[in-house]
């Protein structure tokens, strides 16, 4: 065979190999009989969590007004984060020492109980408490599911199941706000919370038989309740959560007496964060620490930028709140597409590059968004930009989960999964807070005031938005720069 003939026949040979691999995946994939029940159960649980997350923003203003609790409005959101942070650390230790089943089912139960408490609340304090219980349950669930994936699925199927995590968000992101608005308007805001716990029973019944087949973890001498709850990581997570609450309180009370809780919050948050994440995370040490760092950078940059897009479109370009929100919908769809792309077996050797590419696409999207501040630029540029960013996040987030499990020893999968989720949460609170400071520093306070008054006085302060997006683009660029350190060698 000549060199030319070899070159011509290579595509055919590669195609045969790829078709054989696809056939093998179909016969023994995540939806094959061996894994179907567990996969469908996982997707159902994630979908319910996603629906609640996407729908609650629609019902929250109505609930806060009904409970006369506008002053605690922000705490209804932050309670989920702070309680979830503690739960993530607890779930990691609990899963490593006793297996993922107990924290998973406890998390589902707490998530449902929190929804019931919030839906039946008679005061805003009770509502915030319910949101905290709900966040605690969600933190247990998300870490436990990562451990279940690591134990139940072989390594070659993990990219596909990670992609299904993202795919499970697609429908809730699209229909959640619309359905929640309809329920709130016709039945009342309480049913947005009270209807979901009933739906949890079906996925539990579907995946319970498969979960019982997972390898059992024999409790060791340090696997008692006191040892787990009193573990150093759990105590550190509690300190970080308290620190975040104190900082939020100080931020909402800009007076001299707020300096004391602010200082105490920083004293708890800073050292606790450094000790919770893997050693070397903040200096981008090769391998696992860089995976954890990049997840926090990606999640924080995206959430911070996304938080200001609707406000910018409403105050600077005169869009309705509905249209401004719809401009972000495409990102959820392309996120799922990116997750699917990274799950292809032929891309497995390039997983580290996929994460770097994802960060580059996110940076590009964030840079494109503030172009809408120019009068000659059409408003749909934001929707286009966010579809690009969503695809990048799909590549990055799912690949990060796969790499984490690949780089973790089985007995460390729980704690490392918790570190990954905590990095997401810490990135969110850090960069959203930073964006808020920049926004006010560059004149954003008058924009917010004008919006509340029903005016459009923010039109003269585009620098506030530019500062936010420029900072978050820089965060994404840092992620691109550290991506080569994902490889251990």
């Amino acid at each position: 065979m000549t060199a030319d003939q070899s070159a011509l026949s290579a595509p055919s040979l590669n195609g045969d190999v790829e078709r054989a691999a696809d056939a093998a995946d179909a016969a023994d994939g995540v939806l094959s009989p061996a894994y179907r029940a567990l996969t469908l159960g996982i997707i159902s649980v994630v979908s319910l969590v996603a629906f609640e997350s996407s729908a609650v923003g629609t019902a929250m203003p109505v609930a806060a007004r009904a409970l006369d609790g506008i002053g605690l409005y922000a705490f209804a959101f932050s309670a989920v984060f702070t309680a979830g942070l503690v739960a993530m650390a607890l779930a990691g230790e609990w899963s490593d020492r006793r297996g993922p089943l107990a924290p998973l089912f406890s998390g589902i139960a707490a998530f449902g109980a929190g929804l019931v408490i919030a839906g039946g609340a008679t005061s805003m304090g009770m509502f915030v408490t319910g949101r905290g219980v709900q966040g605690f349950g969600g933190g247990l669930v998300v870490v436990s599911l990562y451990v279940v994936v690591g134990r139940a699925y072989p390594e070659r199927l993990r990219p596909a199941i990670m992609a299904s995590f993202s795919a499970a968000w697609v429908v809730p992101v699209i229909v959640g706000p619309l359905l929640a608005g309809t329920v709130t308007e016709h039945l009342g805001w309480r049913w947005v919370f009270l209807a979901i716990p009933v739906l949890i029973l079906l996925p539990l019944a579907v995946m319970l038989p498969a979960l019982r087949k997972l390898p059992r973890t024999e409790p060791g001498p340090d696997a008692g309740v006191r040892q787990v709850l009193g573990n150093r990581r759990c105590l550190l997570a509690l300190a970080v959560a308290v620190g975040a609450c104190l900082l939020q309180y100080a931020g909402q009370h800009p007076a001299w007496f707020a300096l004391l809780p602010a200082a105490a919050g920083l004293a708890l948050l800073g050292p606790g964060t450094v000790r919770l994440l893997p050693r070397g995370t903040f200096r981008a040490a090769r391998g696992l620490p860089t995976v954890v760092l990049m997840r926090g950078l990606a999640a924080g940059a995206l959430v911070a930028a996304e938080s200001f897009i609707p406000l910018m479109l409403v105050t600077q370009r005169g869009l309705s709140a509905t249209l401004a929100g719809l401009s972000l919908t495409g990102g959820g769809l392309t996120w799922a597409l990116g997750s699917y792309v990274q799950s292809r077996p032929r891309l497995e050797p390039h997983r580290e590059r996929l994460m770097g590419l994802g960060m580059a696409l996110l940076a590009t999207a964030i840079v494109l968004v503030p172009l809408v501040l120019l009068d000659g630029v059409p408003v749909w540029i934001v929707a286009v930009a966010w579809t690009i960013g969503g695809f990048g996040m799909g590549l990055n987030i799912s690949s990060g989960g796969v790499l984490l499990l690949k780089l973790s020893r089985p007995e460390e999968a729980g704690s490392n999964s918790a570190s990954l989720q905590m990095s997401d949460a810490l990135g969110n609170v850090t960069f959203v807070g930073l964006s808020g400071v920049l926004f006010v520093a560059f004149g954003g306070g008058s924009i917010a005031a004008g919006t509340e008054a029903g005016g459009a006085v923010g039109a003269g302060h585009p620098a506030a938005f530019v500062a936010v997006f420029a900072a978050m683009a820089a965060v994404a660029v840092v992620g691109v720069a550290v991506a080569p350190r994902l490889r251990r060698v």
Side-chain angles (χ1 to χ4, degrees):
M1 181 180 292
T2 65
D4 289 339
Q5 290 172 321
S6 297
L8 290 172
S9 63
S12 176
L13 179 59
N14 290 338
D16 291 340
V17 172
E18 291 171 0
R19 283 191 292 272
D22 291 341
D25 286 343
D28 192 23
V30 295
L31 290 177
S32 65
Y35 301 104
R36 185 180 299 142
L38 183 58
T39 299
L40 293 177
I42 288 174
I43 292 174
S44 299
V45 170
V46 175
S47 295
L48 289 174
V49 174
F51 175 79
E52 186 280 332
S53 178
S54 62
V56 71
T58 303
M60 190 72 76
V62 179
R65 286 196 298 267
L67 297 172
D68 194 23
I70 295 295
L72 294 176
Y73 184 81
F75 283 93
F77 289 97
S78 62
V80 176
F81 157 71
T82 53
L85 189 63
V86 177
M88 290 172 188
L90 174 60
E93 295 298 325
W94 197 352
S95 297
D96 285 342
R97 300 183 187 209
R98 302 185 68 91
L101 298 190
L104 175 60
F105 285 100
S106 298
I108 293 174
F111 182 76
L115 288 167
V116 172
I117 295 172
T122 56
S123 67
M124 194 61 178
M126 182 178 177
F127 184 82
V128 171
T129 300
R131 293 283 289 160
V133 174
Q134 180 186 335
F136 187 84
L140 291 177
V141 168
V142 69
V143 173
S144 302
L145 285 181
Y146 266 74
V147 180
V148 168
V149 168
R151 296 191 178 193
Y153 296 87
E155 185 173 340
R156 67 180 183 82
L157 293 181
R158 291 173 190 167
I161 193 63
M162 289 298 177
S164 74
F165 275 48
S166 296
W169 279 78
V170 174
V171 174
V173 165
I174 295 173
V175 307
L178 179 61
L179 184 57
T182 302
V183 170
T184 300
E185 182 178 347
H186 293 91
L187 298 178
W189 64 268
R190 296 183 184 276
W191 288 104
V192 175
F193 297 89
L194 295 176
I196 297 178
V198 179
L199 302 177
I200 294 176
L201 299 176
L202 179 60
L204 283 179
V206 169
M207 65 180 178
L208 183 58
L211 289 173
R212 286 176 172 169
K213 297 179 181 178
L214 291 179
R216 296 287 180 181
T217 300
E218 294 298 329
D222 60 346
V225 175
R226 290 185 179 180
Q227 287 81 0
V228 174
L229 292 176
N231 180 267
R232 177 174 173 270
R233 286 178 61 84
C234 295
L235 296 176
L236 285 171
L238 180 60
V240 169
V242 173
C245 289
L246 290 173
L247 282 175
Q248 182 176 0
Y249 173 83
Q252 292 191 348
H253 298 80
W256 65 267
F257 65 82
L259 293 177
L260 182 59
L266 286 173
L268 291 171
L269 187 63
T273 299
V274 172
R275 289 172 173 80
L276 273 175
L277 301 181
R279 181 177 298 178
T281 295
F282 292 101
R283 56 182 174 83
R286 289 190 174 275
L288 182 65
T290 299
V291 174
V292 174
L293 174 63
M294 285 189 66
R295 278 287 293 262
L297 294 175
L302 177 90
V303 171
E306 191 173 75
S307 298
F308 286 89
I309 288 177
L311 180 61
M312 179 180 66
L313 292 176
V314 169
T315 61
Q316 308 299 295
R317 295 301 296 265
L319 267 66
S320 67
T322 300
L323 289 177
L326 287 175
S327 67
L328 305 175
T329 303
L333 298 175
T334 53
W335 188 319
L337 177 61
S339 296
Y340 171 79
V341 169
Q342 66 81 37
S343 70
R344 297 296 84 198
R346 71 194 72 174
L347 294 179
E348 180 61 35
H350 311 291
R351 189 157 302 283
E352 292 85 357
R353 293 183 181 179
L354 290 177
M355 289 191 70
L357 175 60
M359 292 296 290
L361 292 174
L362 178 61
T364 301
I366 297 174
V367 168
L368 289 175
V369 165
L371 293 178
V372 78
L373 294 168
L374 302 174
D375 290 337
V377 177
V379 293
W380 49 257
I381 189 68
V382 174
V384 173
W386 227 236
T387 59
I388 296 172
F391 185 78
M393 287 296 288
L395 294 177
N396 185 284
I397 296 297
S398 297
S399 292
V402 174
L403 273 179
L404 176 123
L405 293 174
K406 182 178 181 180
L407 296 173
S408 300
R409 294 193 296 267
E411 65 273 14
E412 295 178 343
S415 58
N416 287 342
S417 296
S419 295
L420 196 69
Q421 301 302 323
M422 285 189 285
S423 181
D424 287 352
L426 290 168
N428 290 344
V429 71
T430 299
F431 294 123
V432 169
L434 174 61
S435 296
V437 171
L438 291 172
F439 187 68
V440 173
F442 282 85
S446 61
I447 296 174
T451 302
E452 291 175 1
V457 297
H461 299 278
F465 294 102
V466 173
V468 169
F469 293 117
M472 293 307 104
V475 170
V477 169
V478 170
V480 176
V482 303
R485 301 186 64 80
L486 289 166
R487 291 187 178 275
R488 286 199 250 190
V489 293

